Amino acid sequence: MAEKIKPEEMARIDHSPPLYKGWMDAPVQIKTGIFCYAGKPANLQYLGLPNPREWSVTDEDWKLPANWKEIVLEGLRERLDKFRSLKVFMDICVRCGACADKCHFFIGGGDPRNMPVLRAELLRSVYRKEFTAAGKILGQFAGARELTVQVLKEWWYYFFQCTECRRCSLFCPYGIDTAEITIIARELLNLLGLNTDWISAPAANSFRTGNHLGIQPHAYKDMIDFFVDDIEEITGVRLEPSLNRKGAEILFITPSGDVFADPGTYTAMGYLILFHYLQDLGLDITWSTYASEGGNFGYFTSHETAKRLNAKMYAEAKRLGVKWIIGGECGHMWRVINQYMDTFNGPADFLEDPVSPITGTKFENAKTTKMVHIAEFTADLIRHKKLKLDPSRNDNLVVTYHDSCNTSRGMGILEEPRYIIKNVCNNFYDMPENTIREQTFCCGSGSGLNAGEDMELRMRGGLPRANAVKHVKEKFGVNMLSCICAIDRAALPPLMDYWVPGMGVSGVHELVGNALILEGEKERETNLRGDPLPGKEEEEEDV
């Protein structure tokens, strides 16, 4: 486990080629600390996935169906017919290696099978053997191999070491989307009930209670009430947020991690303060305690499961009769909305084209999804000078910004969060250009990998991001890493504690909540975390 490996030891990485003759001849070595636990049968049953049973990754026998090979090959055949892109991705790779050193797991771990080109070859080699004439005739000479139990285990081990961040795809001269290959491989594994519990449990919980933490609606409301109490103590203003109100103009949906897990809770408090501020300007918005999850863990399971989870947000919008939706700071929520929504569940013609009731801005990019990212919404408010802000309240922070993979490469939200931060903070520094925006490094824990049992994998995968953060800490004194993804807000704190001790992590709207000046508020003494504001430290000591 990562806790037992000192950072200086983990940083000694060997990227030299292995001594064995060829990668096909080396059996997979499954290592503790690199994998997540197997999916529990109850969760697989709830999701309608096949072959639910108790099994362990370290067991020799994974309790596969007797005809497991036929199931996998037929599944691959169906997907080759259904997804033209998959057939293209299987055929056009020339193994040039342009992607080889772009994956954070290969950079941080040195395992050659985590080079995107080789991870894809795990599937592509079986495709060649079963679906190409050259592979059937020439075998390994054509890069083909038989699908065996050991190969299947290799698939499981390495396709669950991919965060589907798509950084490798950015550098591929042919535009091969390796994340899509990972998605298909996981779908094939799920045909045999080979999932991880950190993915299947949140997905099952979302079906049961509306959010991946399994929180009941009354507990969701209780947390909102706690936030309201805390905000009143900090600002002197009593908020009255709307929940499950039919006829509201806008539905707000955010990842449940913002409501139940620090530091996301401070981001949720920022949302509440912003919405309260905007009520007098014409904002008519409600939260839902039923569609209480923006995140989509189904996306890490299969296209069909992602589709089913995405639909719940729109079903709730229809039930409440709202006109459009604002979505909170989340990564894979927005990857699904931006890239898959229209073919999954859309277009959402029962909703209206989103128009800001405050500025009149029409969000043209949301014409079919009817869903606007809160960073777009807030940046538009600031551009039209609709918010009274005191950025000096964040003067104890020197901030940098982590481009979350799904909202940057997967959605194109690059400048809006930076624009917001620069207007609510006086001290902002970007990390090096080749580590941000489209080229951003992943947190190392996305795509359902942010469990506790695979901590070594997470620390290795997050090393490139941590190095960039360490650079701006040492050069500019940065002490706060801000982001717009709930998985990042959960995954980055332990990553920073391990590689860059003393670095804080926040959502962007936590910083907005600190800076926003509410009508009738008392003089603030602390920020949303209860820490003294700049210049108030001595007063607190005197008390």
Side-chain angles (χ1 to χ4, degrees), residues 240-252 275 278-279 282-291 316-324:
E240 296 181 359
S242 167
L243 298 173
N244 304 320
R245 179 165 53 87
K246 291 187 176 182
E249 179 183 3
I250 302 168
L251 171 63
F252 178 66
F275 296 157
L278 296 174
Q279 283 178 358
L283 185 72
D284 181 19
I285 194 166
T286 191
W287 300 52
S288 172
T289 62
Y290 299 102
E316 183 69 348
K318 182 176 287 188
R319 185 185 76 86
L320 294 177
V322 301
K323 294 180 179 179
W324 54 286

Side-chain angles (χ1 to χ4, degrees), residues 51-287:
N51 196 27
R53 79 281 183 211
E54 291 286 352
W55 66 287
S56 174
V57 180
T58 55
D59 290 344
E60 183 67 26
D61 181 8
W62 282 12
K63 301 179 182 177
L64 303 173
N67 62 335
W68 69 267
K69 185 174 180 178
E70 289 79 6
I71 292 172
V72 171
L73 293 179
E74 181 57 31
L76 180 54
R77 179 177 291 104
E78 290 176 1
R79 284 155 180 79
L80 288 167
D81 292 339
K82 183 177 182 180
F83 301 110
R84 184 170 178 267
S85 59
L86 177 62
K87 181 72 164 59
V88 172
F89 294 160
M90 290 293 98
D91 287 333
I92 66 173
C93 177
V94 296
R95 290 176 277 189
C96 68
C99 65
D101 61 346
K102 305 306 186 295
C103 177
H104 42 279
F105 287 116
F106 176 63
I107 296 172
D111 189 332
R113 285 182 174 89
N114 272 328
M115 294 188 293
V117 59
L118 187 45
R119 189 188 292 116
E121 281 293 306
L122 304 181
L123 178 61
R124 193 177 282 118
S125 60
V126 173
Y127 160 78
R128 291 195 187 102
K129 178 65 177 177
E130 299 294 337
F131 298 96
T132 70
K136 291 177 180 178
I137 297 170
L138 300 175
Q140 282 198 19
F141 289 105
R145 63 174 178 167
E146 295 278 354
L147 177 59
T148 65
V149 170
Q150 284 303 312
V151 169
L152 189 74
K153 290 184 176 183
E154 188 179 42
W155 282 11
W156 188 92
Y157 190 55
Y158 287 101
F159 284 116
F160 283 104
Q161 287 186 55
C162 173
T163 52
E164 303 174 12
C165 80
R166 299 175 69 244
R167 189 173 194 267
C168 53
S169 304
L170 187 71
F171 295 92
C172 177
Y174 295 95
I176 296 172
D177 193 336
T178 308
E180 291 291 331
I181 297 175
T182 293
I183 293 170
I184 294 297
R186 289 188 180 186
E187 284 196 12
L188 297 176
L189 291 165
N190 272 291
L191 296 176
L192 305 176
L194 295 174
N195 206 314
T196 72
D197 200 56
W198 195 249
I199 293 175
S200 58
N205 285 339
S206 291
F207 283 127
R208 290 191 301 106
T209 66
N211 60 76
H212 81 252
L213 295 174
I215 304 300
Q216 299 289 341
H218 64 275
Y220 194 96
K221 179 185 181 300
D222 287 344
M223 286 303 299
I224 299 295
D225 290 342
F226 292 149
F227 295 152
V228 168
D229 291 342
D230 289 345
I231 291 169
E232 183 177 20
E233 184 175 342
I234 293 167
T235 68
V237 177
R238 185 71 182 180
L239 278 54
E240 296 181 359
S242 167
L243 298 173
N244 304 320
R245 179 165 53 87
K246 291 187 176 182
E249 179 183 3
I250 302 168
L251 171 63
F252 178 66
I253 299 177
T254 196
S256 58
D258 283 350
V259 180
F260 292 98
D262 293 344
T265 51
Y266 309 116
T267 302
M269 292 169 70
Y271 301 149
L272 289 165
I273 291 173
L274 176 66
F275 296 157
H276 175 85
Y277 180 97
L278 296 174
Q279 283 178 358
D280 291 339
L281 299 180
L283 185 72
D284 181 19
I285 194 166
T286 191
W287 300 52

Side-chain angles (χ1 to χ4, degrees), residues 215-486:
I215 304 300
Q216 299 289 341
H218 64 275
Y220 194 96
K221 179 185 181 300
D222 287 344
M223 286 303 299
I224 299 295
D225 290 342
F226 292 149
F227 295 152
V228 168
D229 291 342
D230 289 345
I231 291 169
E232 183 177 20
E233 184 175 342
I234 293 167
T235 68
V237 177
R238 185 71 182 180
L239 278 54
E240 296 181 359
S242 167
L243 298 173
N244 304 320
R245 179 165 53 87
K246 291 187 176 182
E249 179 183 3
I250 302 168
L251 171 63
F252 178 66
I253 299 177
T254 196
S256 58
D258 283 350
V259 180
F260 292 98
D262 293 344
T265 51
Y266 309 116
T267 302
M269 292 169 70
Y271 301 149
L272 289 165
I273 291 173
L274 176 66
F275 296 157
H276 175 85
Y277 180 97
L278 296 174
Q279 283 178 358
D280 291 339
L281 299 180
L283 185 72
D284 181 19
I285 194 166
T286 191
W287 300 52
S288 172
T289 62
Y290 299 102
S292 51
E293 179 65 72
N296 194 325
F297 270 72
Y299 178 63
F300 312 140
T301 304
S302 69
H303 288 90
E304 182 60 31
T305 312
K307 175 181 177 179
R308 290 163 66 192
L309 287 183
N310 188 69
K312 75 181 187 302
M313 297 189 292
Y314 288 91
E316 183 69 348
K318 182 176 287 188
R319 185 185 76 86
L320 294 177
V322 301
K323 294 180 179 179
W324 54 286
I325 307 171
I326 292 178
E329 295 183 9
C330 184
H332 45 85
M333 166 190 187
W334 284 103
R335 173 84 170 277
V336 172
I337 289 292
N338 190 60
Q339 294 191 328
Y340 298 93
M341 161 61 193
D342 285 346
T343 51
F344 276 178
N345 310 109
D349 292 335
F350 65 93
L351 296 173
E352 297 180 8
D353 292 355
V355 178
S356 172
I358 315 299
T359 67
T361 296
K362 188 172 184 177
F363 296 98
E364 296 288 348
N365 59 314
K367 283 183 70 68
T368 57
T369 65
K370 316 300 186 188
M371 197 162 181
V372 174
H373 194 291
I374 194 168
E376 300 173 279
F377 183 73
T378 302
D380 177 67
L381 292 169
I382 295 174
R383 185 171 71 88
H384 286 88
K385 302 187 186 305
K386 297 297 183 181
L387 302 181
K388 295 179 182 178
L389 300 166
D390 181 2
S392 70
R393 291 176 178 170
N394 288 313
D395 277 354
N396 58 324
L397 305 177
V398 184
V399 183
T400 192
Y401 177 69
H402 165 66
D403 291 273
S404 304
C405 302
N406 287 312
T407 51
S408 55
R409 276 189 294 272
M411 191 180 181
I413 292 187
L414 305 172
E415 301 309 323
E416 292 90 343
R418 290 176 168 82
Y419 180 73
I420 295 170
I421 294 172
K422 290 175 183 177
N423 278 275
V424 301
C425 299
N426 290 318
N427 306 298
F428 174 79
Y429 297 94
D430 252 327
M431 288 177 275
E433 279 298 316
N434 64 339
T435 72
I436 58 174
R437 294 186 172 87
E438 291 93 342
Q439 296 188 45
T440 186
F441 276 114
C442 182
C443 68
S445 299
S447 189
L449 302 186
N450 58 318
E453 63 268 20
D454 65 336
M455 195 61 76
E456 180 181 340
L457 174 69
R458 293 172 54 188
M459 296 302 102
R460 290 190 180 280
L463 175 58
R465 168 47 73 224
N467 276 339
V469 175
K470 185 177 181 180
H471 170 78
V472 290
K473 178 185 179 183
E474 294 176 348
K475 186 172 183 178
F476 303 113
V478 166
N479 59 13
M480 181 61 73
L481 176 61
S482 193
C483 61
I484 55 171
C485 172

